[in-house]
Amino acid sequence: MRTSIATVCLSGTLDQKLLAARAAGFDGVEIFEPDLVSSPLAPEAIRARADELGLSLDLYQPFRDFEGVGPELLELNLRRAEAKFALMNRLGIETMLLCSNVATARSGDEQLAASQLRLLGDAAGRFGVRVAYEALAWGRFVDGYETAARVVRLADHERIGLCLDSFHILSKGHNPEAIETIPADGIFFVQMADAPLLTLDVLSWSRHHRLFPGEGGFDLGRFMAHLVRTGYDGPVSLEVFNDTFRQTDPRATAVDARRSLRWLEHVTAEALGVGAGGRAARMSATALPSAEPAIDVNYVELRTAEPAELRVLLRQLGFRSHGSHRSKAVELWSHGDVRIVLGAPDSELQPTVAGIGLSVNDPSTAVQRATALFAPEVPRQQDAADEPLVGVRAPDGSEVFFGADGEDAPAWVDEFGIPDGDDPRLLERVDHINLAQPWQHFDAAVLFFRSVLDLHPEPSIDVAAPVGLVRSQVLRSTDGIVRVALNLVPSGSSEKDAILPQHIAFATSDALAVARTARERGFVPLQIPENYYDDLSARYQLDPLLLGELRELNVMFDRDESGEFLHFYTHPVGTVFLEVVERRDGYTGYGALNAPVRLAAQYQRPRTSDQRVPA
């Protein structure tokens, strides 16, 4: 698969965009006209720079509002087009993108549009270039790819072909199956974009909310399978208008973009299956190494500047200390099969939940998949006697490590001391890990966990917090062993004022028993207002004894058609807190209705000495 990216996807100057595309491993770029117009480099210098970097210049775009016009405007449009064709010659670009007319077309007659495209094709031929006609989803008369294909077929000109854009096709709900009826030599260019599934006017959706493949809700594997079956073997490019991407480091964005195309190639191979069918495929679509399903979450690493307070919390929840590692400045705490590695941060910018350790059957295969998706390996200092662990870094700087499973416990546990005290075994496993994501990493994190760990995204929700809306996106493995909740910190919130929704949730079969035994050890939970329990009583017909115990222990409750959910929280220690959850009768949610109450309680705690709000 030949890969390309539109310069509109990246921040910075045109030269910085070219450098970022090359560093990420793209084969070529689309030149977005405003990037050229604002560049101090002459077209010849841009062409030379791309040659120096080994990048092809695949497309010049966009050319707008050409067809369906009257004779006078047509003449002006042809003159304008010839100026762009001459510019393309200077750049060494062979293909121009023509968007369907959204403003000046006065007729939807397809024969008229075809005749005018034929004249454009004649002009393009004089310059040795060609035109890829794209149906914009908000085009005045041509707003679907099948209509555009008819117009191109009527034009019947070797210099006029189609550009297929996944956003314009899928955002309108058009079936991409008919792509297979288009001759491969009639498809001049392909642009890919994903998007969240929104109810929004298509223009606003397109201009502000496109995403890289794998970050949204479109079925792009199926789309690409139809394309491959045509025999198309040209560039597969990314054209993503997104407010966040245009503000972030271009190199990091380009790496995320390249990861998205590698994931797209993988899901395309899966969609094609063993036999591609249709015409002979000329584009290769290679699957990634198999995802290694996690046997369990064997540890979570926390790095905090306040370890003493966190040690107290762990002890109150029944964790036992194994002491420090024999050669590293970290310590191990365990409760049954739940393990917390505790260390100090290397910098203020380091994530609090710094690492996740997964037990897998074949760690090397897991890392091969991750590195094939451009995830950087984490350098790890280890002695000869240390159990080998291999890991990769997520976009926000947190780490995912893979290790072999042990019969009773992972072998690396022996690198710490013998645990003190008795093991109450009230906690059973890590239920989910909740990671706060800065605004610039959220979408990239969705793609990372989806592609590297083969986690499946659930519908995102927005949760009201005192400092704004917190967007929450859960990704989980098919068997539910790994659950990661990504929470987007509200924009404009400072670390001091924002509630950073970063925590670890531990599963138990008896949350009330854990809460009671923790209280006997001096545990003070996050205080939940009396108003919450009054509302709980109104919403559910709870046994008065149960309601009283929930109220006394500050345990929250939820119920849906699948079952019931009991959970309680510790108070925050810096930017991390802990949660204990009990799922009854197959409950699969996370107590979403309780989240605003929890966020308000966390926001309230440092601002008042009296935690309980009187009824």
Side-chain angles (χ1 to χ4, degrees):
M1 180 188 291
R2 283 182 57 205
T3 60
S4 188
I5 184 170
T7 56
V8 72
C9 299
L10 305 171
S11 65
T13 66
L14 181 55
D15 191 60
Q16 289 172 327
K17 296 175 187 224
L18 296 177
L19 285 167
R22 178 66 273 172
F26 280 92
D27 299 314
V29 298
E30 304 176 34
I31 297 294
F32 187 55
E33 186 170 72
D35 289 325
L36 173 76
V37 172
S38 61
S39 174
L41 299 175
E44 292 81 6
I46 294 170
R47 179 177 185 173
R49 183 61 163 150
D51 287 343
E52 176 189 345
L53 295 172
L55 288 170
S56 58
L57 298 182
D58 298 326
L59 188 75
Y60 187 78
Q61 65 119 329
F63 192 76
R64 300 186 185 277
D65 298 329
F66 176 83
E67 83 289 1
V69 299
E72 291 184 3
L73 187 51
L74 175 63
E75 184 177 344
L76 292 174
N77 285 346
L78 285 169
R79 178 179 174 276
R80 181 164 56 97
E82 289 184 347
K84 297 305 177 185
F85 294 154
L87 174 61
M88 290 166 60
N89 284 168
R90 296 174 66 191
L91 288 163
I93 298 178
E94 296 180 356
T95 307
M96 181 178 77
L97 176 68
L98 169 64
C99 300
S100 62
N101 199 321
V102 301
T104 62
R106 67 184 192 185
S107 171
D109 186 303
E110 293 179 8
Q111 290 285 358
L112 174 64
S115 66
Q116 293 178 342
L117 287 184
R118 197 176 303 118
L119 293 174
L120 183 63
D122 290 341
R126 292 192 291 272
F127 290 86
V129 299
R130 60 185 193 166
V131 176
Y133 183 51
E134 172 187 65
L136 295 183
W138 52 92
R140 189 165 186 179
F141 295 109
V142 177
D143 64 355
Y145 79 98
E146 292 182 86
T147 305
R150 283 197 305 271
V151 172
V152 167
R153 188 164 56 249
L154 288 169
D156 191 23
H157 199 291
E158 64 178 358
R159 299 285 174 171
I160 302 295
L162 280 176
C163 174
L164 297 176
D165 184 309
S166 65
F167 180 85
H168 292 297
I169 294 171
L170 299 178
S171 66
K172 295 280 285 190
H174 293 156
N175 189 338
E177 186 174 348
I179 289 173
E180 295 191 35
T181 67
I182 302 171
D185 58 6
I187 303 173
F188 285 4
F189 206 76
V190 171
Q191 295 173 322
M192 300 299 297
D194 209 336
L197 302 181
L198 302 174
T199 304
L200 192 68
D201 71 276
V202 183
L203 180 57
S204 299
W205 193 6
S206 171
R207 287 287 176 259
H208 303 286
H209 300 287
R210 294 198 201 192
L211 297 169
F212 293 133
E215 296 177 351
F218 289 161
D219 186 352
L220 296 181
R222 176 171 170 254
F223 180 98
M224 282 293 298
H226 292 311
L227 176 70
V228 171
R229 291 189 186 108
T230 68
Y232 174 81
D233 65 348
V236 176
S237 187
L238 297 171
E239 188 197 38
V240 176
F241 296 88
N242 183 289
D243 297 341
T244 298
F245 298 165
R246 293 299 297 268
Q247 301 176 64
T248 53
D249 176 68
R251 288 184 177 246
T253 303
V255 170
D256 294 334
R258 187 66 188 86
R259 177 181 298 125
S260 77
L261 282 183
R262 184 64 187 91
W263 175 85
L264 179 63
E265 184 180 351
H266 170 74
V267 296
T268 301
E270 289 188 327
L272 287 167
V274 176
R279 283 159 279 177
R282 291 184 286 172
M283 181 190 300
S284 64
T286 306
L288 291 162
S290 299
E292 279 292 304
I295 298 167
D296 63 22
V297 178
N298 67 41
Y299 76 87
V300 179
E301 182 176 359
L302 300 177
R303 294 178 189 164
T304 176
E306 300 164 315
E309 191 173 355
L310 198 50
R311 289 187 193 108
V312 171
L313 276 183
L314 291 172
R315 185 74 75 182
Q316 290 170 341
L317 290 176
F319 280 81
R320 301 182 298 164
S321 173
H322 294 243
S324 297
H325 189 271
R326 61 193 178 198
S327 63
K328 299 177 179 63
V330 294
E331 53 193 82
L332 175 63
W333 292 74
S334 71
H335 182 141
D337 293 329
V338 181
R339 302 174 193 88
I340 299 295
V341 174
L342 188 59
D346 299 328
S347 71
E348 293 181 1
L349 300 178
Q350 195 166 44
T352 304
V353 178
I356 304 169
L358 301 177
S359 294
V360 296
N361 286 322
D362 187 352
S364 62
T365 299
V367 171
Q368 286 173 16
R369 180 184 175 96
T371 54
L373 286 158
F374 307 97
E377 277 199 66
V378 177
R380 182 174 183 267
Q381 179 184 357
Q382 58 186 35
D383 295 340
D386 290 349
E387 180 70 11
L389 293 175
V390 286
V392 293
R393 185 166 283 113
D396 69 344
S398 60
E399 300 163 354
V400 178
F401 274 89
F402 305 98
D405 190 41
E407 291 187 8
D408 297 317
W412 58 264
V413 171
D414 293 336
E415 297 165 20
F416 295 83
I418 303 298
D420 58 8
D422 296 326
D423 189 350
R425 287 198 168 267
L426 289 172
L427 303 181
E428 298 167 1
R429 65 188 182 282
V430 172
D431 183 87
H432 63 275
I433 300 161
N434 198 313
L435 302 175
Q437 293 296 306
W439 60 271
Q440 68 270 36
H441 293 313
F442 185 88
D443 296 314
V446 171
L447 175 61
F448 174 86
F449 285 105
R450 184 177 187 179
S451 60
V452 172
L453 299 185
D454 195 29
L455 303 185
H456 308 291
E458 298 181 355
S460 66
I461 61 171
D462 291 330
V463 178
V467 292
L469 286 178
V470 176
R471 178 183 168 197
S472 183
Q473 174 74 71
V474 173
L475 298 99
R476 70 190 297 273
S477 58
T478 303
D479 56 14
I481 287 176
V482 180
R483 293 182 174 100
V484 175
L486 303 174
N487 283 2
L488 178 60
V489 178
S491 61
S493 300
S494 67
E495 276 201 15
K496 179 180 179 182
D497 290 333
I499 296 299
L500 303 181
Q502 181 127 303
H503 72 273
I504 309 167
F506 307 119
T508 181
S509 57
D510 193 341
L512 296 174
V514 176
R516 283 192 297 268
T517 56
R519 186 173 63 175
E520 292 169 1
R521 299 187 187 97
F523 173 65
V524 178
L526 181 71
Q527 301 294 304
I528 305 303
E530 294 282 0
N531 293 333
Y532 167 79
Y533 294 99
D534 292 342
D535 180 69
L536 199 63
S537 177
R539 278 191 288 137
Y540 305 112
Q541 291 183 337
L542 295 179
D543 182 286
L545 293 177
L546 173 60
L547 180 62
E549 193 164 18
L550 295 173
R551 188 192 305 263
E552 179 188 1
L553 296 172
N554 288 275
V555 175
M556 306 183 85
F557 179 89
D558 189 31
R559 177 190 291 158
D560 63 17
E561 62 279 0
S562 65
E564 295 180 341
F565 188 59
L566 282 72
H567 59 136
F568 68 89
Y569 297 92
T570 73
H571 61 80
V573 177
T575 59
V576 69
F577 56 95
L578 308 175
E579 180 186 10
V580 174
V581 307
E582 177 187 348
R583 299 179 181 274
R584 295 179 175 178
D585 303 320
Y587 180 96
T588 59
Y590 301 87
L593 289 176
N594 296 331
V597 180
R598 183 262 296 175
L599 288 164
Q602 290 174 323
Y603 183 81
Q604 177 84 0
R605 185 179 185 276
R607 291 165 173 79
T608 179
S609 57
D610 182 8
Q611 300 299 300
R612 182 62 64 92
V613 179

Coordinates of all heavy atoms in Angstrom, one line a residue, residues 537-567:
S537 N -32.6 6.3 46.9 CA -33.8 5.7 47.5 C -35.0 6.0 46.6 O -35.9 5.1 46.4 CB -34.1 6.3 48.9 OG -35.2 5.8 49.4
A538 N -35.0 7.2 45.9 CA -36.2 7.5 45.1 C -36.1 6.7 43.7 O -37.1 6.4 43.2 CB -36.2 9.0 44.8
R539 N -34.9 6.5 43.3 CA -34.7 5.8 42.0 C -34.9 4.3 42.0 O -35.4 3.7 41.1 CB -33.3 6.1 41.4 CG -33.2 7.5 40.7 CD -31.9 7.6 40.0 NE -30.7 7.7 40.9 CZ -29.6 7.1 40.7 NH1 -29.4 6.2 39.7 NH2 -28.6 7.3 41.5
Y540 N -34.5 3.7 43.1 CA -34.5 2.2 43.2 C -35.2 1.8 44.5 O -35.1 2.5 45.5 CB -33.1 1.6 43.2 CG -32.2 2.0 42.1 CD1 -31.1 2.9 42.3 CD2 -32.5 1.6 40.8 CE1 -30.3 3.2 41.2 CE2 -31.7 2.0 39.7 CZ -30.6 2.8 39.9 OH -29.8 3.1 38.9
Q541 N -35.9 0.7 44.4 CA -36.6 0.2 45.6 C -35.6 -0.7 46.3 O -35.6 -1.9 46.2 CB -37.8 -0.6 45.3 CG -39.0 0.3 44.7 CD -40.2 -0.5 44.5 OE1 -40.2 -1.7 44.2 NE2 -41.4 0.1 44.5
L542 N -34.7 -0.1 47.1 CA -33.6 -0.8 47.8 C -34.1 -1.2 49.1 O -34.9 -0.5 49.8 CB -32.4 0.0 47.9 CG -31.7 0.4 46.6 CD1 -30.4 1.3 46.9 CD2 -31.3 -0.8 45.8
D543 N -33.6 -2.4 49.6 CA -33.8 -2.8 51.0 C -33.3 -1.7 51.9 O -32.2 -1.2 51.7 CB -33.1 -4.1 51.2 CG -33.3 -4.6 52.6 OD1 -32.8 -4.1 53.5 OD2 -34.1 -5.6 52.8
P544 N -34.1 -1.3 52.9 CA -33.6 -0.2 53.7 C -32.3 -0.5 54.5 O -31.5 0.4 54.7 CB -34.8 -0.1 54.8 CG -36.0 -0.6 54.0 CD -35.5 -1.7 53.1
L545 N -32.1 -1.8 54.8 CA -30.8 -2.2 55.4 C -29.6 -2.0 54.5 O -28.6 -1.5 54.9 CB -30.9 -3.6 55.9 CG -31.9 -3.9 57.1 CD1 -31.9 -5.4 57.4 CD2 -31.5 -3.1 58.3
L546 N -29.8 -2.4 53.2 CA -28.8 -2.2 52.2 C -28.5 -0.7 52.0 O -27.4 -0.2 52.0 CB -29.2 -2.8 50.9 CG -28.2 -2.6 49.7 CD1 -26.8 -3.0 50.0 CD2 -28.8 -3.2 48.4
L547 N -29.6 0.1 51.8 CA -29.4 1.5 51.6 C -28.7 2.2 52.8 O -27.8 3.0 52.6 CB -30.8 2.2 51.4 CG -30.8 3.7 51.2 CD1 -30.0 4.1 49.9 CD2 -32.2 4.3 51.2
G548 N -29.0 1.7 54.0 CA -28.3 2.3 55.2 C -26.8 1.9 55.2 O -26.0 2.8 55.6
E549 N -26.5 0.7 54.8 CA -25.1 0.3 54.7 C -24.3 1.1 53.6 O -23.2 1.5 53.8 CB -25.0 -1.2 54.6 CG -23.6 -1.7 54.8 CD -23.5 -3.2 55.0 OE1 -24.5 -3.9 54.6 OE2 -22.5 -3.7 55.6
L550 N -25.0 1.2 52.5 CA -24.4 2.0 51.4 C -24.0 3.4 51.9 O -22.9 4.0 51.7 CB -25.3 2.1 50.2 CG -25.6 0.8 49.4 CD1 -26.6 1.0 48.4 CD2 -24.3 0.2 48.8
R551 N -25.0 4.0 52.6 CA -24.9 5.4 53.1 C -23.8 5.5 54.1 O -22.9 6.4 54.1 CB -26.2 5.9 53.7 CG -26.2 7.3 54.1 CD -27.5 7.6 54.9 NE -28.7 7.2 54.3 CZ -29.5 8.1 53.6 NH1 -29.1 9.4 53.5 NH2 -30.6 7.7 53.0
E552 N -23.7 4.5 55.0 CA -22.7 4.5 56.1 C -21.3 4.3 55.6 O -20.4 5.0 56.1 CB -23.1 3.4 57.1 CG -22.1 3.3 58.3 CD -22.3 2.0 59.1 OE1 -23.2 1.3 58.8 OE2 -21.6 1.9 60.1
L553 N -21.2 3.5 54.6 CA -19.8 3.2 54.1 C -19.4 4.0 52.9 O -18.4 3.8 52.3 CB -19.8 1.7 53.7 CG -19.9 0.7 54.9 CD1 -20.1 -0.7 54.3 CD2 -18.8 0.8 55.8
N554 N -20.3 4.9 52.4 CA -20.1 5.8 51.2 C -19.8 4.9 50.0 O -19.0 5.2 49.1 CB -18.9 6.7 51.5 CG -19.2 7.8 52.4 OD1 -19.7 8.9 52.0 ND2 -18.9 7.6 53.7
V555 N -20.6 3.9 49.9 CA -20.6 3.0 48.7 C -21.7 3.5 47.7 O -22.9 3.7 48.2 CB -20.8 1.5 49.1 CG1 -20.9 0.6 47.8 CG2 -19.7 1.1 50.0
M556 N -21.4 3.6 46.5 CA -22.3 4.0 45.5 C -23.0 2.8 44.8 O -22.4 1.7 44.9 CB -21.7 4.9 44.4 CG -20.9 6.1 45.1 SD -20.2 7.2 43.9 CE -21.6 8.3 43.6
F557 N -24.1 3.0 44.1 CA -24.9 1.9 43.6 C -25.4 2.3 42.2 O -25.8 3.4 41.9 CB -26.1 1.6 44.5 CG -27.0 0.5 44.1 CD1 -26.7 -0.8 44.5 CD2 -28.1 0.8 43.3 CE1 -27.6 -1.8 44.1 CE2 -29.0 -0.3 42.9 CZ -28.7 -1.6 43.3
D558 N -25.5 1.3 41.3 CA -26.2 1.4 40.0 C -26.8 0.1 39.7 O -26.4 -1.0 40.1 CB -25.1 1.8 39.0 CG -25.8 2.2 37.7 OD1 -26.9 2.8 37.7 OD2 -25.2 2.0 36.6
R559 N -27.8 0.2 38.8 CA -28.6 -1.0 38.4 C -29.0 -0.7 36.9 O -29.4 0.4 36.6 CB -29.8 -1.2 39.2 CG -30.6 -2.4 38.8 CD -31.9 -2.5 39.5 NE -31.7 -2.9 40.9 CZ -32.6 -2.6 41.9 NH1 -33.7 -1.9 41.6 NH2 -32.4 -3.0 43.1
D560 N -28.9 -1.7 36.1 CA -29.4 -1.7 34.8 C -30.0 -3.1 34.4 O -30.1 -3.9 35.3 CB -28.4 -1.2 33.7 CG -27.2 -2.2 33.6 OD1 -27.3 -3.3 34.0 OD2 -26.2 -1.8 33.0
E561 N -30.4 -3.3 33.1 CA -31.0 -4.5 32.8 C -30.1 -5.7 33.0 O -30.6 -6.9 33.0 CB -31.5 -4.4 31.3 CG -30.5 -4.3 30.3 CD -30.0 -2.8 30.1 OE1 -30.5 -1.9 30.8 OE2 -29.1 -2.6 29.3
S562 N -28.8 -5.5 33.0 CA -27.9 -6.6 33.1 C -27.6 -7.0 34.6 O -27.2 -8.2 34.9 CB -26.6 -6.4 32.4 OG -25.9 -5.3 33.0
G563 N -27.7 -6.1 35.5 CA -27.3 -6.4 36.9 C -27.1 -5.2 37.7 O -27.6 -4.1 37.4
E564 N -26.4 -5.4 38.8 CA -26.1 -4.3 39.8 C -24.7 -4.0 40.0 O -23.8 -4.9 39.7 CB -26.8 -4.7 41.1 CG -28.3 -4.8 41.1 CD -28.9 -5.1 42.4 OE1 -28.1 -5.6 43.3 OE2 -30.1 -4.9 42.6
F565 N -24.4 -2.8 40.4 CA -23.0 -2.4 40.5 C -22.8 -1.6 41.9 O -23.6 -0.7 42.1 CB -22.7 -1.4 39.4 CG -21.2 -1.0 39.2 CD1 -20.2 -2.0 39.1 CD2 -20.9 0.3 39.2 CE1 -18.9 -1.6 38.9 CE2 -19.6 0.7 39.0 CZ -18.6 -0.2 38.9
L566 N -21.9 -2.1 42.7 CA -21.5 -1.4 43.9 C -20.1 -0.9 43.8 O -19.2 -1.7 43.4 CB -21.7 -2.3 45.1 CG -23.1 -2.5 45.7 CD1 -23.9 -3.4 44.7 CD2 -23.1 -3.2 47.1
H567 N -19.8 0.3 44.2 CA -18.4 0.8 44.1 C -18.2 1.9 45.1 O -19.1 2.7 45.4 CB -18.1 1.2 42.7 CG -18.9 2.2 42.1 ND1 -18.4 3.3 41.4 CD2 -20.2 2.4 42.1 CE1 -19.4 4.1 41.0 NE2 -20.5 3.6 41.4

